[in-house]
Amino acid sequence: MNAAWWTARPPRERRILAIGAAVAVALLLWALVWHPLGRQREDLALRIEGEREQLLLVRRAAAELGGLRTTGVQARADREGKSLLALADATARGAGLESALRRVEPGSGGSVRVSFEYASFDDLAAWLEGLARDYGIQASDFSADRVDGVGLVNARVTLQDVP
């Protein structure tokens, strides 16, 4: 567009063209700049809300974990004077594993080795979970072989106090 063409237009047409050009520029700015930025802002706000919810869940889990740790540490003192060896034997029998319990013997570094034959895997897992939860004792080594029978295993477990 050159200046001669513009000046050849009547004033009313120049005014309409100028207003049209301003509206077109404004619409282009809105479509190419303002609208995408607004959508991006909404997406970020939703993302931040999701991250806040995740942070809240993590904080709750951390508090629960701290409580469980405290419970485990307190439970260590509630052994009624039993050694790890005696505690492993008593809790295994109390967990319904007495018929499968074959040997409880001291290991190196204060650990205890426990052997089972034809033990219910579910009962064994529940027993180990209870030791960790109630007494702060964890299995440092575990091996199991499937045997004839549904859910039965021969297992060897090494137990240690968690510091």
Side-chain angles (χ1 to χ4, degrees):
M1 201 172 4
N2 64 32
W5 178 84
W6 182 256
T7 54
R9 303 286 121 215
R12 183 176 176 189
E13 188 177 333
R14 283 190 295 216
R15 197 173 329 123
I16 291 172
L17 286 172
I19 291 171
V23 168
V25 166
L27 286 174
L28 281 173
L29 281 173
W30 179 83
L32 298 175
V33 178
W34 192 260
H35 183 65
L37 286 176
R39 289 186 64 192
Q40 211 172 28
R41 182 175 180 260
E42 289 172 9
D43 291 346
L44 286 174
L46 288 173
R47 185 175 169 192
I48 287 171
E49 186 60 33
E51 297 291 331
R52 283 186 180 142
E53 289 174 10
Q54 285 183 353
L55 178 62
L56 184 61
L57 288 174
V58 167
R59 284 183 176 163
R60 284 184 189 153
E64 184 178 340
L65 181 61
L68 290 174
R69 240 187 232 136
T70 302
T71 301
V73 169
Q74 289 171 347
R76 284 185 217 158
D78 297 338
R79 289 186 183 179
E80 299 169 1
K82 292 182 182 175
S83 67
L84 181 56
L85 187 79
L87 187 65
D89 183 63
T91 56
R93 291 179 192 284
L97 295 166
E98 66 275 356
S99 63
L101 185 63
R102 291 297 170 250
R103 190 171 36 247
V104 180
E105 58 190 13
S108 61
S111 65
V112 171
R113 289 189 303 268
V114 186
S115 299
F116 298 93
E117 289 181 3
Y118 294 96
S120 164
F121 183 79
D122 292 341
D123 290 346
L124 195 59
W127 172 65
L128 290 171
E129 192 273 330
L131 282 174
R133 180 192 61 237
D134 299 336
Y135 300 103
I137 296 169
Q138 290 188 345
S140 61
D141 187 39
F142 177 85
S143 64
D145 301 314
R146 185 175 53 166
V147 296
D148 292 336
V150 178
L152 298 178
V153 294
N154 288 341
R156 288 147 311 283
V157 182
T158 303
L159 301 173
Q160 287 188 316
D161 278 319
V162 177

